[in-house]
Amino acid sequence: MGLSWQQGPLSAGSIGHFLTPEPLPERLLFAEPLRRRMRVKFNDTWIADSENVIVLHEPGRYPVAYFPREDVDPQVLDTGDKVTHHRDLGETSWYAVHAGDRTTERAAWEFTSPPEHAAELQGRIAFAWRATDAFYEEDERILGHAADQYHRIDIRKTSRLLEVRLGDTVVARSEHPVVLYESGFAPRWYVPRADIDEARLRPVEGQTFCPYKGLCDYYDVGDVHRAAWTYRNAYPEVGRIGDMVSFEPDQVEIHLDGKRLELESGQKVVPHGVDRGLDADEVGAH
């Protein structure tokens, strides 16, 4: 998904390769200006607001936004005694973030002495996504992680026959599904609800979220746990899949024009831990 993780060109699991005479380094980091206004809210207070954010793409990690110190409220950062070492970028100092009556430890960090080739990260602060209340681009909240500018979604309608089965039971049959192509993922097929036997779907608790599609709800299909999902209120950019349902090909049988689909490389996602030891946000893998 995007530039540096899943199967992107800078990820360890890339399905492509650079056509160069010499092999590239094992790890490549990529930093670039976001060129969007980004803000961070904590305890109902805006603690960072910048149009000069740098996004760091690091292999196997979600993109991370770095704010100039001058665009961060200096009163919200408390220096702690926690210092770690980043394998590529050197010493990392951690900060507690506080506003009003609330304090969260290890909620922000800074590379205090990055190497010369990464000097643009000097004097910049990053915030742990789950430690804050919300990140915004302009006045719209961003879910999951900083958006990867190299991530793309295309949705195409098709007249191919798609059938979903659980054993001998037909769960869905459609002659007008849509296919969603998403950077770093194998194609996903979405079925209109009118073409589904919804008695076979049982909603389950728990949601994931995706910066590109929105909040994702899940279903058990018969006795198979979380074998289907839907974006009930998909973002307008991907509104064509809104409230349609997609199914996991390794948990139920999916046949496309009579041929059974198999789980492809890039379909199953285990979210990576957020940089420097923090737990990952649960991000929609579909």
Side-chain angles (χ1 to χ4, degrees), residues 158-165 169-178 189-201 243-247:
T158 180
S159 57
R160 299 166 76 179
L161 175 63
L162 187 121
E163 190 171 81
V164 180
R165 302 175 191 161
T169 302
V170 175
V171 176
R173 188 178 190 277
S174 181
E175 294 180 350
H176 43 270
V178 299
W189 299 85
Y190 283 80
V191 183
R193 286 188 180 268
D195 296 336
I196 300 170
D197 180 358
E198 293 210 51
R200 306 293 175 181
L201 304 184
D243 207 33
M244 299 178 81
V245 179
S246 193
F247 297 85

Side-chain angles (χ1 to χ4, degrees), residues 23-38:
L24 295 176
E26 181 182 346
R27 286 171 52 85
L28 282 173
L29 278 62
F30 185 76
E32 63 179 335
L34 179 63
R35 294 191 288 194
R36 306 180 188 186
R37 181 192 181 194
M38 181 173 276

Side-chain angles (χ1 to χ4, degrees), residues 226-239:
R226 286 168 69 114
W229 69 90
T230 185
Y231 290 91
R232 289 189 177 277
N233 298 294
Y235 289 159
E237 295 86 349
V238 291

Side-chain angles (χ1 to χ4, degrees), residues 20 30 34 51 95 117 141 151 159 188-189 207 216 223:
T20 57
F30 185 76
L34 179 63
E51 295 184 62
Y95 302 98
H117 64 266
R141 185 177 179 183
H151 188 94
S159 57
R188 295 292 197 175
W189 299 85
Q207 294 176 307
C216 184
D223 295 329

Side-chain angles (χ1 to χ4, degrees), residues 44-233:
D44 254 356
T45 302
W46 294 110
I47 62 172
D49 187 338
S50 182
E51 295 184 62
N52 185 24
V53 168
I54 293 289
V55 173
L56 175 65
H57 302 265
E58 183 178 349
R61 306 295 184 191
Y62 300 129
V64 176
Y66 285 80
F67 292 78
R69 262 191 171 274
E70 58 268 25
D71 292 341
V72 177
D73 183 346
Q75 299 183 44
V76 305
L77 297 179
D78 280 342
T79 304
D81 57 3
K82 180 69 175 178
V83 177
T84 58
H85 186 83
H86 187 283
R87 62 187 288 187
D88 302 295
L89 300 171
E91 190 173 274
T92 307
S93 291
W94 291 82
Y95 302 98
V97 171
H98 71 89
D101 59 355
R102 181 175 157 203
T103 299
T104 301
E105 299 294 331
R106 294 190 69 193
W109 69 87
E110 176 183 16
F111 300 120
T112 53
S113 53
E116 184 176 349
H117 64 266
E120 62 199 287
L121 295 175
Q122 183 79 51
R124 289 183 176 268
I125 303 293
F127 295 92
W129 207 273
R130 292 181 68 179
T132 65
D133 294 340
F135 280 66
Y136 286 76
E137 288 181 357
E138 294 294 343
D139 293 335
E140 293 195 13
R141 185 177 179 183
I142 306 302
L143 297 174
H145 56 78
D148 189 321
Q149 298 179 82
Y150 299 93
H151 188 94
R152 180 184 175 94
I153 293 176
D154 293 295
I155 300 171
R156 301 288 183 255
K157 65 180 180 180
T158 180
S159 57
R160 299 166 76 179
L161 175 63
L162 187 121
E163 190 171 81
V164 180
R165 302 175 191 161
L166 182 62
D168 294 331
T169 302
V170 175
V171 176
R173 188 178 190 277
S174 181
E175 294 180 350
H176 43 270
V178 299
V179 57
L180 183 143
Y181 301 107
E182 183 167 6
S183 302
F185 292 103
R188 295 292 197 175
W189 299 85
Y190 283 80
V191 183
R193 286 188 180 268
D195 296 336
I196 300 170
D197 180 358
E198 293 210 51
R200 306 293 175 181
L201 304 184
R202 186 170 68 256
V204 296
E205 291 187 3
Q207 294 176 307
T208 58
F209 44 81
C210 170
Y212 314 102
K213 299 189 290 294
L215 286 170
C216 184
D217 292 283
Y218 292 85
Y219 299 97
D220 290 347
V221 179
D223 295 329
V224 183
H225 185 53
R226 286 168 69 114
W229 69 90
T230 185
Y231 290 91
R232 289 189 177 277
N233 298 294

